[in-house]
Amino acid sequence: MVRRPVAAVVTLVLFAEAFGVAALNWFLGVVVDRQHMSLAGLDPDVMSTSSKIGGLVFGLYFVLCGVVALLVLIRDRPPAGLGRILLISAAVVHGLLGAFSWGLVGRSAFAFMMVVLALIVLLLMGYDRQEGPPATEPAPTAPSDAGPPGGGAAGGDLSGVGPSGQAPSGVGSPPEAPAGPEGSGPAGPSGGVTALVTTAP
């Protein structure tokens, strides 16, 4: 894993740059004040004070960026929120400084700025979070109105159903009329039995 070594290098470089920028601007401010230099009619005291303030502001900015890189190194977690914004802005600043230093200072300063820029970008990309899709809960199933498996209609009476699923004989069919004696017809409408009349000889 190269993420923690990169975070350590970025931390050291940002702290060194903070000290260097602050010391350089403070030194320039002292020189302007003692030599009573002026640029385009500006007051030497104003130039000296502004140089010192600018050095302190940029120094604190790089210190904050170094603290963010140090926290990333200690926690071994990606920067988030304000810390991530600070590191991105530091990468942008180093890109701009590299562009200006190519013509003002030289190729060596440009190469140094590009190396620092690459380290900051590598720090940001190395700790890039890879979040999977959120887990979805299964949707609740609606209760079914049908009865239990193998049963009859919902709420129906199952007492008259035989083992084969058919109703037994005599259940659910109208009663048959009782048959009369041998040789006689069925029972009449009044329910009586028609008898044969025989006469004595």
Side-chain angles (χ1 to χ4, degrees):
M1 302 297 289
V2 299
R3 296 181 300 182
R4 301 193 75 174
V6 169
V9 173
V10 171
T11 302
L12 295 176
V13 170
L14 290 177
F15 282 151
E17 286 184 345
F19 176 77
V21 169
L24 178 61
N25 282 269
W26 192 272
F27 174 75
L28 292 177
V30 171
V31 171
V32 169
D33 186 24
R34 292 184 178 180
Q35 298 293 330
H36 297 285
M37 296 180 180
S38 179
L39 179 63
L42 295 177
D43 188 2
D45 294 334
V46 173
M47 293 180 59
S48 175
T49 305
S50 61
S51 177
K52 294 178 181 178
I53 293 176
L56 292 177
V57 170
F58 273 97
L60 290 176
Y61 168 73
F62 283 120
V63 166
L64 287 177
C65 296
V67 169
V68 173
L70 180 62
L71 291 178
V72 171
L73 172 64
I74 295 174
R75 298 176 180 177
D76 197 16
R77 293 180 181 178
L82 182 61
R84 190 177 185 87
I85 295 175
L86 284 175
L87 289 181
I88 293 175
S89 63
V92 174
V93 167
H94 281 83
L96 294 175
L97 290 178
F100 285 114
S101 62
W102 176 273
L104 297 177
V105 181
R107 297 180 180 179
S108 59
F110 173 78
F112 174 76
M113 292 297 172
M114 292 301 102
V115 169
V116 178
L117 172 62
L119 289 175
I120 296 176
V121 172
L122 182 60
L123 175 63
L124 290 171
M125 298 300 294
Y127 281 94
D128 193 11
R129 290 175 290 186
Q130 299 178 356
E131 298 179 356
T136 57
E137 297 182 358
T141 57
S144 177
D145 294 337
D157 188 8
L158 303 178
S159 60
V161 180
S164 61
Q166 299 179 355
S169 60
V171 178
S173 60
E176 298 180 357
E182 184 179 357
S184 63
S190 60
V193 178
T194 306
L196 295 177
V197 179
T198 60
T199 57

